[in-house]
Amino acid sequence: MASVPSLASTLQQQLADALTAALPDAGAADPLLRRSDRADFQANGILALAKKLKGNPRELAAQVTAALPAGGLIKDIEVSGPGFLNITLTDRAIVETLAARAADGEGRLGVPLKDDAGTTVIDYAQPNVAKEMHVGHLRSAVIGDAVVRILEFTGENVVRRHHIGDWGTQFGMLIQYLIEHPGALRHEGGASDGEAAMSTLNRVYKESRVLFDSDEEFKARSRDRVVALQAGDPETLELWHRFVDESKIYFHSVFDKLDMEIADPDIVGESGYNDMLEETCRILEETGVAVRSEGALCVFFDDVKGPDGNKVPLIVKKTNGGYGYAATDLSAVRNRVQDLKADTLLYVVDARQSLHFRMVFETARRAGWLSDDVKAVQLAFGTVLGKDGKPFKTREGETVRLEDLLDEAVTRATAVVRDKADKVGLSEEEIVENGRYVGIGAVKYADLSTSAVRDYKFDLDQMVALHGDTSVYLQYAYARIQSILRKAGDAVPAAHPELELAPAERALGLHLDQFGEVLAEVGAGYEPHKLAAYLYQLASHLTTFYDQCQVLSPDNAPEVVENRLFLVELTARTLHQGMALLGIRTPERL
C-alpha cells in the first residue's frame, strides 16, 4: 500500500528543514505547527528559538521563510506578531494530495500502517453466564468493539478476550437444581433462539434460588456441588457446559442486535484460568509479593488505605481457601503476556473497578509479569444515565434490559426512516433494514461521541434526530452524497488540481486530509470519541460546501462539476470508513 503523507506532515518537514538551514545553531527544532483561523496553518516554534538564540524573532522568522522551497506546497507566508508564521497552501497541493488518497488501491485512503505495531490483548464485552445483559454491559461492548476496529486498521495485531463470568458458587446451586430437575433447561416448543434461552435461564435461576433459600438440605448439596465443580467432576462439568452453551446462544443474539461479531474462541471466561490459580498464588507467596494475613493471602500497598487508616489489601486467596477475583485476573495477565505474547493489555472496564485494576497491575509488576516492555491499561468508562441524570433504570426502578433498550432504539429509528421513505422511494425491506442501522448506530454513536470516562445521558429522541451531533446526521450526509453521485449522469468524479478552490472547498479538502492523523491519535490514546468528533466536523464542512458550492449546476464548467464530484465522493468514502471503524453502518439511501 502506498501511504500518503498529510499536508501537515509535509509542511512540518519543510519547516523543520528550513529551521535547520537558516538557524544551524538551533539544532533540531519543532516548528510547533497547528491549524489556524488566520491561515491554513500557523507555526509558533520560532518564538522559543529566538529566546534560546537571543535573537529577534521576526528577523529569525524572515530567515526561515527565505529558506523554504518556493512553489509547490506553499502559496503564501505571513510573519505575524512576535515571529509567528501564518501559512497558506496552494490549491494544487490540496487537490493533488487528496487525489493520491483517492487513488489508494488498498482502500485505506492513503492512511499508513504504524511503524511500531505490536500485539494488544483487549478485554471487553464481559457478560455473565445465566444472567441477562443489561444497560451496564453496553459501554464495554460498544467501546471495545470500536477500539478493536481502529487498532486493527492502524496495523496492530489484536487478540480479543471476552472475560465472561462463568465460574463460582452460584453454579453449584444451578447444577444441583438441574440434576434434581433434569428437564429444566428444555425450551418450551423446542425453541433455541436467544430470547428463549434467556427466558429458560432466568426461570431456572429463580427456581433454584427459591429452593436454595428455603431448603437447608438443598443448600448443603449445592455447596458440595461447588466442590465437585472445582475438582473437575465429569458429570458436574457436563452440566456446567450446558449452562455456558445456553448462555452463549443468548449472548450471540444480543451481540447480533448490536451488529457486533463475537467469536467463540475469543470467549475465555473465569473458568479458563482455573488451572492456573494455585500456581499464581504459590508464585506470589514464594516471591514475597503476597503475604498471609489472618489466614488469607494478600498483597498490600502503602497508598491504599481504608477509612480507618489501615491498609486495604488485594485478596488473592480467601481464608477458606477460595480464590478471589484477583487470582483470576492475575492468572489472565500471566497467560496474556507469557502465552499470547502481548505488548499491551487493554481492559475496557467500568471506572468503578479502577482501584481493583490498579492493585492488580501493580501486583503483576512486582511479580515480574508486567515489565517496561509490557503495559497494562484500563480504558475506564462512566455510567449510562437516564434523562434525569441518574443511573438508567426502568420506571419500576429495575436495571434496563439491554435487548429492550436496543429494540426500542430500532423502533424509534424505523419510525424516523419511514417518515422520509416516500421522498427517497424506499421499499419496506429497506425501511426495516435502515431502521436497524440507524437505531443501533444512534446508540453506538451516542456512547462513542462521549469521552469514555464520562457519564452520558441516554436520550433516544435526541439520538435519532436528523440534526446535531448524531449518527443519523452523519448517515444522512453519506446517503445525500450517494444521491448526488446517482444523479451525476455522464459526469464522473475527477480531480482537477489546476482549478482555484472556493473557501468551502478548501475547508472540506483540508479536513479530509487530516483523517490519517486523527486515526493515529485515536489509536494511540484509545479515544474513539475523537474520531466521532472528526466525522461530525467532516459532515458539517460538507453541509457548508453544499450551501456555497453547487455540484451539478448547469452553470458550472465540466471540470468544476468533476472536481466537486471528486470532493464529495472522497468525503463519502471517508465517512463510510470512519463510521465502519466505530461499528456503524452507512445506508446508501436514507
Side-chain angles (χ1 to χ4, degrees), residues 141-150 255-261 436-446 448 471 474-475 519 528 531-532 535 575-587:
V142 170
I143 295 170
D145 182 58
V147 170
V148 165
R149 293 168 184 264
I150 292 164
F255 290 127
D256 183 59
K257 285 189 176 184
L258 263 175
D259 202 12
M260 283 174 51
E261 185 177 338
R436 181 189 175 209
Y437 293 160
V438 171
I440 299 304
V443 171
K444 289 184 176 182
Y445 187 84
L448 295 170
S471 66
L474 302 181
Q475 289 168 321
L519 286 180
L531 174 56
L535 295 172
L575 281 170
H576 175 77
Q577 181 63 75
M579 293 286 271
L581 293 176
L582 296 178
I584 300 173
R585 306 263 187 168
T586 43

mmCIF file of all heavy atoms in Angstrom, residues 141-150 255-261 436-446 448 471 474-475 519 528 531-532 535 575-587:
data_model
loop_
_atom_site.group_PDB
_atom_site.id
_atom_site.type_symbol
_atom_site.label_atom_id
_atom_site.label_comp_id
_atom_site.label_asym_id
_atom_site.label_seq_id
_atom_site.Cartn_x
_atom_site.Cartn_y
_atom_site.Cartn_z
ATOM 1 N N ALA A 141 -18.982 -3.239 25.555
ATOM 2 C CA ALA A 141 -19.106 -3.879 24.243
ATOM 3 C C ALA A 141 -18.884 -2.872 23.122
ATOM 4 O O ALA A 141 -18.107 -3.119 22.189
ATOM 5 C CB ALA A 141 -20.485 -4.529 24.113
ATOM 6 N N VAL A 142 -19.560 -1.729 23.188
ATOM 7 C CA VAL A 142 -19.507 -0.748 22.096
ATOM 8 C C VAL A 142 -18.124 -0.104 22.001
ATOM 9 O O VAL A 142 -17.547 0.011 20.914
ATOM 10 C CB VAL A 142 -20.598 0.325 22.302
ATOM 11 C CG1 VAL A 142 -20.407 1.488 21.339
ATOM 12 C CG2 VAL A 142 -21.974 -0.292 22.111
ATOM 13 N N ILE A 143 -17.576 0.327 23.139
ATOM 14 C CA ILE A 143 -16.257 0.960 23.139
ATOM 15 C C ILE A 143 -15.190 -0.052 22.724
ATOM 16 O O ILE A 143 -14.321 0.240 21.900
ATOM 17 C CB ILE A 143 -15.933 1.554 24.521
ATOM 18 C CG1 ILE A 143 -16.902 2.692 24.851
ATOM 19 C CG2 ILE A 143 -14.492 2.065 24.572
ATOM 20 C CD1 ILE A 143 -16.817 3.173 26.299
ATOM 21 N N GLY A 144 -15.251 -1.242 23.295
ATOM 22 C CA GLY A 144 -14.253 -2.265 22.973
ATOM 23 C C GLY A 144 -14.255 -2.639 21.513
ATOM 24 O O GLY A 144 -13.194 -2.753 20.880
ATOM 25 N N ASP A 145 -15.446 -2.796 20.920
ATOM 26 C CA ASP A 145 -15.536 -3.163 19.513
ATOM 27 C C ASP A 145 -14.935 -2.071 18.628
ATOM 28 O O ASP A 145 -14.212 -2.366 17.665
ATOM 29 C CB ASP A 145 -17.003 -3.399 19.137
ATOM 30 C CG ASP A 145 -17.176 -3.841 17.694
ATOM 31 O OD1 ASP A 145 -16.602 -4.867 17.319
ATOM 32 O OD2 ASP A 145 -17.876 -3.134 16.946
ATOM 33 N N ALA A 146 -15.205 -0.810 18.940
ATOM 34 C CA ALA A 146 -14.651 0.296 18.151
ATOM 35 C C ALA A 146 -13.133 0.354 18.272
ATOM 36 O O ALA A 146 -12.424 0.544 17.274
ATOM 37 C CB ALA A 146 -15.271 1.617 18.598
ATOM 38 N N VAL A 147 -12.619 0.170 19.479
ATOM 39 C CA VAL A 147 -11.169 0.218 19.678
ATOM 40 C C VAL A 147 -10.490 -0.925 18.927
ATOM 41 O O VAL A 147 -9.423 -0.743 18.314
ATOM 42 C CB VAL A 147 -10.824 0.181 21.181
ATOM 43 C CG1 VAL A 147 -9.328 -0.004 21.393
ATOM 44 C CG2 VAL A 147 -11.284 1.474 21.857
ATOM 45 N N VAL A 148 -11.096 -2.104 18.932
ATOM 46 C CA VAL A 148 -10.545 -3.240 18.174
ATOM 47 C C VAL A 148 -10.439 -2.873 16.691
ATOM 48 O O VAL A 148 -9.399 -3.083 16.045
ATOM 49 C CB VAL A 148 -11.434 -4.490 18.343
ATOM 50 C CG1 VAL A 148 -11.090 -5.547 17.296
ATOM 51 C CG2 VAL A 148 -11.250 -5.079 19.736
ATOM 52 N N ARG A 149 -11.519 -2.333 16.134
ATOM 53 C CA ARG A 149 -11.539 -1.987 14.708
ATOM 54 C C ARG A 149 -10.469 -0.943 14.380
ATOM 55 O O ARG A 149 -9.764 -1.044 13.372
ATOM 56 C CB ARG A 149 -12.919 -1.452 14.325
ATOM 57 C CG ARG A 149 -14.042 -2.490 14.388
ATOM 58 C CD ARG A 149 -15.408 -1.806 14.270
ATOM 59 N NE ARG A 149 -16.511 -2.723 14.413
ATOM 60 C CZ ARG A 149 -17.165 -3.287 13.401
ATOM 61 N NH1 ARG A 149 -16.794 -3.033 12.154
ATOM 62 N NH2 ARG A 149 -18.176 -4.099 13.610
ATOM 63 N N ILE A 150 -10.360 0.064 15.233
ATOM 64 C CA ILE A 150 -9.405 1.147 14.988
ATOM 65 C C ILE A 150 -7.974 0.637 15.095
ATOM 66 O O ILE A 150 -7.130 0.938 14.241
ATOM 67 C CB ILE A 150 -9.666 2.309 15.972
ATOM 68 C CG1 ILE A 150 -11.006 2.977 15.654
ATOM 69 C CG2 ILE A 150 -8.530 3.333 15.917
ATOM 70 C CD1 ILE A 150 -11.534 3.868 16.762
ATOM 71 N N PHE A 255 -25.450 -9.647 20.851
ATOM 72 C CA PHE A 255 -24.371 -9.030 20.091
ATOM 73 C C PHE A 255 -24.743 -8.905 18.615
ATOM 74 O O PHE A 255 -24.304 -7.982 17.935
ATOM 75 C CB PHE A 255 -23.072 -9.825 20.261
ATOM 76 C CG PHE A 255 -22.481 -9.703 21.637
ATOM 77 C CD1 PHE A 255 -22.156 -10.826 22.378
ATOM 78 C CD2 PHE A 255 -22.251 -8.457 22.193
ATOM 79 C CE1 PHE A 255 -21.609 -10.709 23.653
ATOM 80 C CE2 PHE A 255 -21.695 -8.322 23.458
ATOM 81 C CZ PHE A 255 -21.384 -9.451 24.193
ATOM 82 N N ASP A 256 -25.572 -9.831 18.126
ATOM 83 C CA ASP A 256 -26.049 -9.720 16.756
ATOM 84 C C ASP A 256 -26.924 -8.476 16.598
ATOM 85 O O ASP A 256 -26.826 -7.763 15.588
ATOM 86 C CB ASP A 256 -26.827 -10.980 16.367
ATOM 87 C CG ASP A 256 -27.284 -10.948 14.919
ATOM 88 O OD1 ASP A 256 -26.418 -10.850 14.030
ATOM 89 O OD2 ASP A 256 -28.499 -11.005 14.668
ATOM 90 N N LYS A 257 -27.754 -8.200 17.590
ATOM 91 C CA LYS A 257 -28.554 -6.972 17.554
ATOM 92 C C LYS A 257 -27.662 -5.740 17.583
ATOM 93 O O LYS A 257 -27.971 -4.712 16.965
ATOM 94 C CB LYS A 257 -29.530 -6.933 18.742
ATOM 95 C CG LYS A 257 -30.720 -7.840 18.600
ATOM 96 C CD LYS A 257 -31.739 -7.598 19.689
ATOM 97 C CE LYS A 257 -32.974 -8.480 19.454
ATOM 98 N NZ LYS A 257 -34.048 -8.224 20.435
ATOM 99 N N LEU A 258 -26.556 -5.832 18.292
ATOM 100 C CA LEU A 258 -25.608 -4.726 18.361
ATOM 101 C C LEU A 258 -24.738 -4.629 17.111
ATOM 102 O O LEU A 258 -23.888 -3.736 17.018
ATOM 103 C CB LEU A 258 -24.698 -4.898 19.585
ATOM 104 C CG LEU A 258 -25.070 -4.136 20.849
ATOM 105 C CD1 LEU A 258 -24.145 -4.526 21.993
ATOM 106 C CD2 LEU A 258 -25.034 -2.637 20.633
ATOM 107 N N ASP A 259 -24.946 -5.539 16.169
ATOM 108 C CA ASP A 259 -24.152 -5.583 14.938
ATOM 109 C C ASP A 259 -22.672 -5.749 15.259
ATOM 110 O O ASP A 259 -21.814 -5.072 14.698
ATOM 111 C CB ASP A 259 -24.379 -4.315 14.108
ATOM 112 C CG ASP A 259 -24.044 -4.526 12.638
ATOM 113 O OD1 ASP A 259 -23.856 -5.690 12.235
ATOM 114 O OD2 ASP A 259 -23.945 -3.525 11.901
ATOM 115 N N MET A 260 -22.397 -6.674 16.173
ATOM 116 C CA MET A 260 -21.031 -6.983 16.589
ATOM 117 C C MET A 260 -20.776 -8.469 16.407
ATOM 118 O O MET A 260 -21.662 -9.282 16.644
ATOM 119 C CB MET A 260 -20.817 -6.645 18.073
ATOM 120 C CG MET A 260 -20.633 -5.187 18.385
ATOM 121 S SD MET A 260 -20.562 -4.917 20.181
ATOM 122 C CE MET A 260 -19.329 -6.130 20.675
ATOM 123 N N GLU A 261 -19.560 -8.786 15.995
ATOM 124 C CA GLU A 261 -19.191 -10.192 15.819
ATOM 125 C C GLU A 261 -18.379 -10.658 17.021
ATOM 126 O O GLU A 261 -17.308 -10.132 17.312
ATOM 127 C CB GLU A 261 -18.371 -10.374 14.538
ATOM 128 C CG GLU A 261 -18.047 -11.825 14.236
ATOM 129 C CD GLU A 261 -17.301 -12.007 12.925
ATOM 130 O OE1 GLU A 261 -17.384 -11.113 12.067
ATOM 131 O OE2 GLU A 261 -16.625 -13.039 12.782
ATOM 132 N N ARG A 436 -32.897 -0.503 11.413
ATOM 133 C CA ARG A 436 -31.953 -1.184 12.313
ATOM 134 C C ARG A 436 -30.601 -0.476 12.307
ATOM 135 O O ARG A 436 -30.012 -0.223 13.363
ATOM 136 C CB ARG A 436 -31.785 -2.640 11.878
ATOM 137 C CG ARG A 436 -30.835 -3.405 12.797
ATOM 138 C CD ARG A 436 -30.488 -4.783 12.253
ATOM 139 N NE ARG A 436 -29.497 -5.416 13.111
ATOM 140 C CZ ARG A 436 -28.596 -6.292 12.698
ATOM 141 N NH1 ARG A 436 -28.544 -6.626 11.436
ATOM 142 N NH2 ARG A 436 -27.738 -6.818 13.527
ATOM 143 N N TYR A 437 -30.096 -0.146 11.107
ATOM 144 C CA TYR A 437 -28.794 0.507 11.022
ATOM 145 C C TYR A 437 -28.803 1.862 11.723
ATOM 146 O O TYR A 437 -27.840 2.230 12.409
ATOM 147 C CB TYR A 437 -28.396 0.696 9.558
ATOM 148 C CG TYR A 437 -28.119 -0.583 8.813
ATOM 149 C CD1 TYR A 437 -28.152 -0.626 7.415
ATOM 150 C CD2 TYR A 437 -27.838 -1.772 9.489
ATOM 151 C CE1 TYR A 437 -27.888 -1.798 6.725
ATOM 152 C CE2 TYR A 437 -27.581 -2.951 8.799
ATOM 153 C CZ TYR A 437 -27.617 -2.959 7.418
ATOM 154 O OH TYR A 437 -27.369 -4.125 6.730
ATOM 155 N N VAL A 438 -29.884 2.607 11.558
ATOM 156 C CA VAL A 438 -29.967 3.932 12.171
ATOM 157 C C VAL A 438 -30.130 3.817 13.686
ATOM 158 O O VAL A 438 -29.481 4.537 14.451
ATOM 159 C CB VAL A 438 -31.135 4.744 11.554
ATOM 160 C CG1 VAL A 438 -31.376 6.032 12.338
ATOM 161 C CG2 VAL A 438 -30.838 5.070 10.099
ATOM 162 N N GLY A 439 -30.970 2.889 14.134
ATOM 163 C CA GLY A 439 -31.209 2.740 15.569
ATOM 164 C C GLY A 439 -29.984 2.280 16.325
ATOM 165 O O GLY A 439 -29.604 2.875 17.342
ATOM 166 N N ILE A 440 -29.339 1.224 15.833
ATOM 167 C CA ILE A 440 -28.138 0.715 16.504
ATOM 168 C C ILE A 440 -27.004 1.721 16.355
ATOM 169 O O ILE A 440 -26.223 1.944 17.293
ATOM 170 C CB ILE A 440 -27.742 -0.661 15.923
ATOM 171 C CG1 ILE A 440 -28.873 -1.677 16.157
ATOM 172 C CG2 ILE A 440 -26.447 -1.153 16.556
ATOM 173 C CD1 ILE A 440 -29.289 -1.848 17.609
ATOM 174 N N GLY A 441 -26.919 2.358 15.194
ATOM 175 C CA GLY A 441 -25.898 3.395 15.007
ATOM 176 C C GLY A 441 -26.086 4.542 15.977
ATOM 177 O O GLY A 441 -25.114 5.098 16.508
ATOM 178 N N ALA A 442 -27.345 4.905 16.234
ATOM 179 C CA ALA A 442 -27.633 6.006 17.162
ATOM 180 C C ALA A 442 -27.151 5.681 18.568
ATOM 181 O O ALA A 442 -26.556 6.521 19.255
ATOM 182 C CB ALA A 442 -29.138 6.289 17.166
ATOM 183 N N VAL A 443 -27.408 4.447 19.009
ATOM 184 C CA VAL A 443 -26.974 4.023 20.342
ATOM 185 C C VAL A 443 -25.449 4.024 20.429
ATOM 186 O O VAL A 443 -24.862 4.531 21.398
ATOM 187 C CB VAL A 443 -27.538 2.625 20.671
ATOM 188 C CG1 VAL A 443 -26.930 2.081 21.956
ATOM 189 C CG2 VAL A 443 -29.061 2.680 20.792
ATOM 190 N N LYS A 444 -24.803 3.460 19.426
ATOM 191 C CA LYS A 444 -23.336 3.391 19.448
ATOM 192 C C LYS A 444 -22.715 4.787 19.404
ATOM 193 O O LYS A 444 -21.772 5.092 20.157
ATOM 194 C CB LYS A 444 -22.832 2.567 18.269
ATOM 195 C CG LYS A 444 -23.102 1.078 18.371
ATOM 196 C CD LYS A 444 -22.479 0.335 17.189
ATOM 197 C CE LYS A 444 -22.641 -1.165 17.319
ATOM 198 N NZ LYS A 444 -22.007 -1.899 16.198
ATOM 199 N N TYR A 445 -23.227 5.636 18.529
ATOM 200 C CA TYR A 445 -22.611 6.953 18.359
ATOM 201 C C TYR A 445 -22.770 7.806 19.611
ATOM 202 O O TYR A 445 -21.847 8.536 19.998
ATOM 203 C CB TYR A 445 -23.224 7.668 17.150
ATOM 204 C CG TYR A 445 -22.512 8.956 16.807
ATOM 205 C CD1 TYR A 445 -21.363 8.945 16.014
ATOM 206 C CD2 TYR A 445 -22.972 10.179 17.278
ATOM 207 C CE1 TYR A 445 -20.698 10.118 15.698
ATOM 208 C CE2 TYR A 445 -22.315 11.363 16.970
ATOM 209 C CZ TYR A 445 -21.180 11.326 16.179
ATOM 210 O OH TYR A 445 -20.515 12.493 15.895
ATOM 211 N N ALA A 446 -23.932 7.722 20.262
ATOM 212 C CA ALA A 446 -24.133 8.487 21.491
ATOM 213 C C ALA A 446 -23.101 8.106 22.533
ATOM 214 O O ALA A 446 -22.601 8.951 23.286
ATOM 215 C CB ALA A 446 -25.545 8.253 22.031
ATOM 216 N N LEU A 448 -20.042 6.541 21.788
ATOM 217 C CA LEU A 448 -18.680 6.753 21.292
ATOM 218 C C LEU A 448 -18.334 8.220 21.084
ATOM 219 O O LEU A 448 -17.157 8.578 21.010
ATOM 220 C CB LEU A 448 -18.487 5.992 19.982
ATOM 221 C CG LEU A 448 -18.566 4.469 20.109
ATOM 222 C CD1 LEU A 448 -18.609 3.816 18.735
ATOM 223 C CD2 LEU A 448 -17.403 3.923 20.915
ATOM 224 N N SER A 471 -25.461 10.160 14.924
ATOM 225 C CA SER A 471 -25.055 9.285 13.821
ATOM 226 C C SER A 471 -26.000 9.449 12.634
ATOM 227 O O SER A 471 -25.593 9.275 11.480
ATOM 228 C CB SER A 471 -25.043 7.825 14.282
ATOM 229 O OG SER A 471 -26.348 7.383 14.578
ATOM 230 N N LEU A 474 -24.765 12.025 10.300
ATOM 231 C CA LEU A 474 -23.636 11.542 9.505
ATOM 232 C C LEU A 474 -24.103 10.547 8.437
ATOM 233 O O LEU A 474 -23.633 10.573 7.296
ATOM 234 C CB LEU A 474 -22.598 10.883 10.412
ATOM 235 C CG LEU A 474 -22.023 11.757 11.524
ATOM 236 C CD1 LEU A 474 -20.977 10.973 12.321
ATOM 237 C CD2 LEU A 474 -21.400 13.013 10.983
ATOM 238 N N GLN A 475 -25.028 9.658 8.804
ATOM 239 C CA GLN A 475 -25.551 8.695 7.837
ATOM 240 C C GLN A 475 -26.302 9.413 6.714
ATOM 241 O O GLN A 475 -26.211 9.033 5.551
ATOM 242 C CB GLN A 475 -26.469 7.688 8.545
ATOM 243 C CG GLN A 475 -25.720 6.718 9.453
ATOM 244 C CD GLN A 475 -26.650 5.932 10.360
ATOM 245 O OE1 GLN A 475 -27.629 6.477 10.874
ATOM 246 N NE2 GLN A 475 -26.346 4.662 10.561
ATOM 247 N N LEU A 519 -6.753 9.257 13.063
ATOM 248 C CA LEU A 519 -6.767 7.831 13.412
ATOM 249 C C LEU A 519 -5.541 7.440 14.229
ATOM 250 O O LEU A 519 -5.640 6.636 15.159
ATOM 251 C CB LEU A 519 -6.844 6.975 12.154
ATOM 252 C CG LEU A 519 -8.206 6.938 11.449
ATOM 253 C CD1 LEU A 519 -8.135 6.051 10.222
ATOM 254 C CD2 LEU A 519 -9.295 6.446 12.397
ATOM 255 N N PRO A 528 -11.976 6.785 20.858
ATOM 256 C CA PRO A 528 -12.869 6.811 19.698
ATOM 257 C C PRO A 528 -13.717 8.073 19.609
ATOM 258 O O PRO A 528 -14.188 8.427 18.527
ATOM 259 C CB PRO A 528 -13.734 5.555 19.875
ATOM 260 C CG PRO A 528 -13.533 5.106 21.279
ATOM 261 C CD PRO A 528 -12.184 5.581 21.696
ATOM 262 N N LEU A 531 -12.505 10.373 16.971
ATOM 263 C CA LEU A 531 -12.885 10.010 15.605
ATOM 264 C C LEU A 531 -14.321 10.457 15.341
ATOM 265 O O LEU A 531 -14.622 10.983 14.263
ATOM 266 C CB LEU A 531 -12.747 8.503 15.394
ATOM 267 C CG LEU A 531 -13.241 7.956 14.045
ATOM 268 C CD1 LEU A 531 -12.551 8.661 12.878
ATOM 269 C CD2 LEU A 531 -13.035 6.447 13.967
ATOM 270 N N ALA A 532 -15.210 10.264 16.313
ATOM 271 C CA ALA A 532 -16.598 10.719 16.158
ATOM 272 C C ALA A 532 -16.643 12.233 15.938
ATOM 273 O O ALA A 532 -17.388 12.722 15.083
ATOM 274 C CB ALA A 532 -17.423 10.327 17.385
ATOM 275 N N LEU A 535 -15.554 13.081 12.389
ATOM 276 C CA LEU A 535 -16.573 12.765 11.389
ATOM 277 C C LEU A 535 -17.722 13.769 11.430
ATOM 278 O O LEU A 535 -18.263 14.151 10.378
ATOM 279 C CB LEU A 535 -17.099 11.342 11.613
ATOM 280 C CG LEU A 535 -16.075 10.224 11.407
ATOM 281 C CD1 LEU A 535 -16.650 8.889 11.842
ATOM 282 C CD2 LEU A 535 -15.612 10.162 9.952
ATOM 283 N N LEU A 575 -16.289 9.170 5.255
ATOM 284 C CA LEU A 575 -17.384 8.950 6.208
ATOM 285 C C LEU A 575 -17.659 7.458 6.383
ATOM 286 O O LEU A 575 -17.822 6.969 7.516
ATOM 287 C CB LEU A 575 -18.655 9.652 5.727
ATOM 288 C CG LEU A 575 -18.775 11.158 5.955
ATOM 289 C CD1 LEU A 575 -19.973 11.718 5.196
ATOM 290 C CD2 LEU A 575 -18.911 11.461 7.456
ATOM 291 N N HIS A 576 -17.719 6.742 5.275
ATOM 292 C CA HIS A 576 -18.008 5.303 5.323
ATOM 293 C C HIS A 576 -16.939 4.565 6.127
ATOM 294 O O HIS A 576 -17.254 3.747 7.002
ATOM 295 C CB HIS A 576 -18.079 4.750 3.905
ATOM 296 C CG HIS A 576 -18.251 3.266 3.845
ATOM 297 N ND1 HIS A 576 -19.453 2.635 4.088
ATOM 298 C CD2 HIS A 576 -17.349 2.268 3.596
ATOM 299 C CE1 HIS A 576 -19.289 1.323 3.975
ATOM 300 N NE2 HIS A 576 -18.032 1.075 3.683
ATOM 301 N N GLN A 577 -15.655 4.856 5.842
ATOM 302 C CA GLN A 577 -14.577 4.175 6.555
ATOM 303 C C GLN A 577 -14.571 4.552 8.023
ATOM 304 O O GLN A 577 -14.417 3.702 8.906
ATOM 305 C CB GLN A 577 -13.228 4.528 5.920
ATOM 306 C CG GLN A 577 -12.038 3.845 6.583
ATOM 307 C CD GLN A 577 -12.091 2.340 6.457
ATOM 308 O OE1 GLN A 577 -11.824 1.790 5.395
ATOM 309 N NE2 GLN A 577 -12.445 1.648 7.532
ATOM 310 N N GLY A 578 -14.731 5.832 8.307
ATOM 311 C CA GLY A 578 -14.714 6.286 9.700
ATOM 312 C C GLY A 578 -15.858 5.702 10.504
ATOM 313 O O GLY A 578 -15.670 5.258 11.643
ATOM 314 N N MET A 579 -17.049 5.679 9.933
ATOM 315 C CA MET A 579 -18.204 5.119 10.636
ATOM 316 C C MET A 579 -18.028 3.606 10.830
ATOM 317 O O MET A 579 -18.383 3.063 11.886
ATOM 318 C CB MET A 579 -19.483 5.410 9.854
ATOM 319 C CG MET A 579 -19.847 6.886 9.805
ATOM 320 S SD MET A 579 -20.489 7.509 11.362
ATOM 321 C CE MET A 579 -22.237 7.180 11.135
ATOM 322 N N ALA A 580 -17.466 2.936 9.826
ATOM 323 C CA ALA A 580 -17.229 1.495 9.954
ATOM 324 C C ALA A 580 -16.279 1.214 11.111
ATOM 325 O O ALA A 580 -16.438 0.212 11.824
ATOM 326 C CB ALA A 580 -16.667 0.934 8.662
ATOM 327 N N LEU A 581 -15.291 2.070 11.325
ATOM 328 C CA LEU A 581 -14.359 1.877 12.434
ATOM 329 C C LEU A 581 -15.054 2.080 13.783
ATOM 330 O O LEU A 581 -14.584 1.576 14.805
ATOM 331 C CB LEU A 581 -13.174 2.831 12.292
ATOM 332 C CG LEU A 581 -12.248 2.550 11.103
ATOM 333 C CD1 LEU A 581 -11.164 3.608 10.996
ATOM 334 C CD2 LEU A 581 -11.616 1.161 11.218
ATOM 335 N N LEU A 582 -16.153 2.808 13.797
ATOM 336 C CA LEU A 582 -16.955 2.947 15.016
ATOM 337 C C LEU A 582 -18.002 1.832 15.129
ATOM 338 O O LEU A 582 -18.747 1.775 16.110
ATOM 339 C CB LEU A 582 -17.656 4.311 15.035
ATOM 340 C CG LEU A 582 -16.747 5.541 15.108
ATOM 341 C CD1 LEU A 582 -17.586 6.813 15.076
ATOM 342 C CD2 LEU A 582 -15.860 5.517 16.344
ATOM 343 N N GLY A 583 -18.058 0.970 14.111
ATOM 344 C CA GLY A 583 -19.034 -0.129 14.137
ATOM 345 C C GLY A 583 -20.416 0.295 13.684
ATOM 346 O O GLY A 583 -21.409 -0.341 14.038
ATOM 347 N N ILE A 584 -20.496 1.371 12.859
ATOM 348 C CA ILE A 584 -21.784 1.928 12.441
ATOM 349 C C ILE A 584 -21.919 1.821 10.928
ATOM 350 O O ILE A 584 -21.004 2.170 10.180
ATOM 351 C CB ILE A 584 -21.914 3.397 12.887
ATOM 352 C CG1 ILE A 584 -21.824 3.492 14.415
ATOM 353 C CG2 ILE A 584 -23.234 4.001 12.406
ATOM 354 C CD1 ILE A 584 -21.774 4.905 14.943
ATOM 355 N N ARG A 585 -23.088 1.369 10.470
ATOM 356 C CA ARG A 585 -23.347 1.206 9.036
ATOM 357 C C ARG A 585 -23.753 2.541 8.400
ATOM 358 O O ARG A 585 -24.331 3.400 9.058
ATOM 359 C CB ARG A 585 -24.478 0.207 8.829
ATOM 360 C CG ARG A 585 -24.264 -1.134 9.509
ATOM 361 C CD ARG A 585 -23.705 -2.150 8.578
ATOM 362 N NE ARG A 585 -23.656 -3.472 9.202
ATOM 363 C CZ ARG A 585 -23.433 -4.582 8.553
ATOM 364 N NH1 ARG A 585 -23.231 -4.556 7.247
ATOM 365 N NH2 ARG A 585 -23.382 -5.743 9.184
ATOM 366 N N THR A 586 -23.499 2.649 7.091
ATOM 367 C CA THR A 586 -23.896 3.845 6.344
ATOM 368 C C THR A 586 -24.770 3.418 5.174
ATOM 369 O O THR A 586 -24.264 2.988 4.128
ATOM 370 C CB THR A 586 -22.658 4.603 5.825
ATOM 371 O OG1 THR A 586 -21.709 3.664 5.292
ATOM 372 C CG2 THR A 586 -21.993 5.381 6.938
ATOM 373 N N PRO A 587 -26.102 3.511 5.308
ATOM 374 C CA PRO A 587 -27.002 3.115 4.225
ATOM 375 C C PRO A 587 -26.795 3.977 2.979
ATOM 376 O O PRO A 587 -26.497 5.171 3.071
ATOM 377 C CB PRO A 587 -28.401 3.349 4.814
ATOM 378 C CG PRO A 587 -28.204 3.360 6.301
ATOM 379 C CD PRO A 587 -26.835 3.920 6.518
#
